[in-house]
Amino acid sequence: MQDLDEFTVTDETVRQMAGTDNPRLKEIADAAVRHLHAFAREVNLTPAEWIQGIRFMTAVGHACTPLRQEFILLSDVLGLSAVVNALHDKKAKELGSQSSLLGPFFREGVEVTPMGTQIVEKPTVEEIVVYGKITGNDGSPLANALIQVWQTSERGLYDLQERNGESMDMRGTFRTGPDGIYYFRTVRPLGYSIPMDGPVGEMVMQQKRHGMRPSHIHCLVGAEGYRELVTALYFGDDPFIDSDTVFGVSQSLVVDAHEDPASPVPGLRAVHYDFRLAKATLGESGRVGADPTKLMKAAE
Ligand SMILES: [Fe+2]
């Protein structure tokens, strides 16, 4: 007969889960149970607090739609996404550019357009150019590399927010030639507040956090035989550059737009950033995030 207390129930739970076939799933589930139980014991969790936690997670689930992923947002503001990214970078076979968050606004299916295209449908502020080279770890240019970029408008909103997901804007995909060079025109995105009208925003407000992300351009860079790079370029003069609510900024990803005689589009201020890809390791994805529309389909 079982006669369990708050300590021995942990071992018994792990024992009952021991039949899990997949060893990695077993490792993760065992550790999750041990840490979850230890957390409850550490804070001496009360029944009222437990139900409040259940209510919160339920509200997070209800806030998810095909255009909004509140769970990814929760992971982001709790720093979990940044931890997973950092662990992923450490597993690389060789050093590549640093990764950053994919975030909840990534979309699949953005068509390849000619190099140099303006990714904003109707730019109303100063245009800038973003350019650089995509290389391997040894600096050799990568031909046929794909770079997908997405960003907010000068008003700080993604197309998913401004257009309700009906059409795409402020996104582009480009394929490099033999020189590995990429470039596109855009406008400087505005830093933005994470969505504050849901349970995650409510939590962030209770914590007296500003909820802001500094101005950035997301980049997904890939080439055959190389590790997909999920990262973002951050504008260094943004007031929130040192206090990103989702912990995505790294020093090596900070850029600025300035006059640059080497720019492929003369007359526009330019951001220059070279991406370095590490060789691929089999069967791993570096995407801490997903296209929210695809996630909902997968869950159905
Ligand atoms: Fe973003």
Side-chain angles (χ1 to χ4, degrees):
M1 184 194 285
Q2 290 184 340
D3 185 19
L4 303 171
D5 61 22
E6 73 273 30
F7 293 98
T8 54
V9 69
T10 304
D11 290 339
E12 175 58 12
T13 309
V14 170
R15 190 189 70 75
Q16 289 200 18
M17 302 193 311
T20 310
D21 283 329
N22 180 330
R24 177 63 177 157
L25 178 59
K26 182 176 180 314
E27 181 186 5
I28 291 169
D30 285 2
V33 163
R34 281 190 277 103
H35 285 270
L36 195 60
H37 291 199
F39 149 74
R41 288 191 294 263
E42 180 183 323
V43 300
N44 202 4
L45 197 68
T46 68
E49 290 158 350
W50 172 83
I51 198 70
Q52 201 176 336
I54 300 277
R55 269 200 203 104
F56 175 72
M57 296 300 275
T58 305
V60 171
H62 283 162
C64 292
T65 73
L67 302 179
R68 176 170 179 162
Q69 235 306 328
E70 195 80 355
F71 274 111
I72 291 181
L73 189 63
L74 179 60
S75 165
D76 291 351
V77 303
L78 293 180
L80 176 62
S81 307
V83 170
V84 176
N85 261 327
L87 292 171
H88 178 72
D89 277 355
K90 276 198 169 165
K91 278 181 280 196
K93 270 204 279 197
E94 52 189 18
L95 205 61
S97 298
Q98 235 173 324
S99 64
S100 188
L101 307 185
L102 188 76
F105 299 106
F106 168 66
R107 297 292 303 273
E108 290 179 20
V110 181
E111 282 173 18
V112 176
T113 48
M115 207 59 86
T117 301
Q118 167 58 261
I119 64 167
V120 180
E121 201 175 291
K122 289 185 192 133
T124 56
V125 292
E126 178 197 353
E127 292 186 53
I128 59 170
V129 60
V130 181
Y131 81 100
K133 195 183 274 192
I134 301 172
T135 73
N137 166 266
D138 60 359
S140 54
L142 296 180
N144 270 324
L146 275 178
I147 173 166
Q148 185 179 340
V149 294
W150 65 103
Q151 63 169 71
T152 54
S153 65
E154 71 276 14
R155 294 173 295 281
L157 294 167
Y158 285 94
D159 57 359
L160 282 171
Q161 300 164 307
E162 281 194 337
R163 299 173 169 222
N164 231 354
E166 277 154 22
S167 57
M168 293 201 192
D169 193 12
M170 301 165 289
R171 298 171 188 270
T173 307
F174 304 93
R175 188 186 294 279
T176 61
D179 57 5
I181 300 279
Y182 76 90
Y183 67 100
F184 60 93
R185 290 180 300 142
T186 183
V187 301
R188 182 180 156 136
L190 187 67
Y192 57 88
S193 166
I194 60 157
M196 297 295 267
D197 58 346
V200 173
E202 203 175 304
M203 182 189 81
V204 163
M205 281 189 279
Q206 277 180 17
Q207 294 164 342
K208 306 281 189 289
R209 295 161 71 179
H210 54 58
M212 295 297 290
R213 295 216 66 203
S215 167
H216 59 278
I217 301 174
H218 291 275
C219 312
L220 179 65
V221 191
E224 205 176 328
Y226 290 82
R227 201 173 209 243
E228 185 179 66
L229 172 68
V230 180
T231 194
L233 303 178
Y234 294 89
F235 287 82
D237 56 357
D238 189 284
F240 299 103
I241 194 74
D242 293 321
S243 58
D244 183 2
T245 298
V246 300
F247 315 101
V249 179
S250 302
Q251 190 59 48
S252 72
L253 300 173
V254 173
V255 295
D256 69 315
H258 53 266
E259 285 178 22
D260 178 353
S263 161
V265 185
L268 298 187
R269 288 194 304 142
V271 169
H272 179 190
Y273 198 87
D274 296 331
F275 293 98
R276 215 166 258 257
L277 302 187
K279 291 248 169 53
T281 313
L282 273 181
E284 58 168 11
S285 166
R287 299 185 185 185
V288 183
D291 183 333
T293 61
K294 297 281 157 60
L295 262 190
M296 286 302 261
K297 279 198 186 110
E300 276 165 11

